Amino acid sequence: MKHPIGDSSNGVTVCVDLIRSKAAAHIAQQPHLLGLIREAVSKTTVRGPQMSIEHDMGRAIGYNFVIPTTEKHTILYARMVHDELYTRFVKNGQPQPTQYITIILTRSETGDSYELQDAWIGRVSPPRPGSQHETPASKSYWSTHAHILNNESLQLRTVTKTCPY
């Protein structure tokens, strides 16, 4: 089921699948995210087959749960439930206030609209190592940044302190 979010600054409609998309999980956890996405999209010109948008909202909008890490942090790696990739986590980290929202869009098959793939409060980051979209910056970024461990459902047999990538 596609839910219309709004139109971009160049008049292109942006929709989201509120059942199957990655964005759906983030929106379910933070319903106000949908309004922030609508606001950011309305100020963005969309073009190309895929876009990663980091938009400065000009005000504090929430907290970033991906933080820079140091050797003082306790780091662990695990796969979340329904995920085949390992995620780097930090225990006892503090989320940082942010005014940025990141939005990932892909053009629809018909080419007349865009579909929201993912969105989160915080800065854009490279894909996790091992993903099909991994970039040369992925490993170096994720060796110095981590998600704050905060009630995520983990596959307990995958939890390790040894870097899997």
Side-chain angles (χ1 to χ4, degrees):
M1 174 180 176
K2 304 285 171 123
H3 175 77
I5 294 173
D7 292 338
S8 68
S9 65
N10 56 329
V12 180
T13 300
V14 175
C15 300
V16 62
D17 182 336
L18 289 174
I19 306 296
R20 291 181 283 285
S21 70
K22 281 183 160 182
H26 292 138
I27 292 167
Q29 292 171 345
Q30 300 174 311
H32 72 286
L33 189 57
L34 201 53
L36 295 171
I37 295 165
R38 182 178 296 115
E39 181 181 341
V41 163
S42 72
K43 297 175 182 174
T44 303
T45 300
V46 296
R47 61 182 168 280
Q50 183 172 0
M51 292 185 68
S52 294
I53 302 162
E54 180 182 88
H55 185 77
D56 183 347
M57 299 297 287
R59 65 188 186 282
I61 59 167
Y63 292 91
N64 191 351
F65 285 84
V66 174
I67 62 169
T69 57
T70 67
E71 57 279 344
K72 295 178 184 178
H73 287 109
T74 302
I75 303 295
L76 62 95
Y77 302 85
R79 290 180 12 201
M80 290 184 273
V81 173
H82 305 297
D83 194 353
E84 295 301 315
L85 296 176
Y86 277 85
T87 299
R88 188 171 191 256
F89 291 101
V90 60
K91 293 174 98 177
N92 303 322
Q94 294 297 318
Q96 299 175 350
T98 186
Q99 58 190 35
Y100 290 92
I101 186 171
T102 297
I103 301 167
I104 311 296
L105 301 173
T106 56
R107 186 182 299 146
S108 68
E109 292 178 10
T110 59
D112 61 346
S113 64
Y114 278 78
E115 187 169 333
L116 177 69
Q117 298 300 312
D118 205 354
W120 60 87
I121 292 174
R123 310 285 309 245
V124 70
S125 56
R128 291 176 293 163
S131 75
Q132 68 183 32
H133 301 292
E134 180 178 353
T135 67
S138 293
K139 285 184 182 174
S140 61
Y141 180 87
W142 289 110
S143 68
T144 60
H145 291 77
H147 290 268
I148 297 171
L149 188 59
N150 185 27
N151 298 325
E152 284 81 8
S153 297
L154 303 179
Q155 297 178 38
L156 296 180
R157 287 184 259 169
T158 68
V159 176
T160 181
K161 289 189 174 191
T162 305
C163 180
Y165 39 82

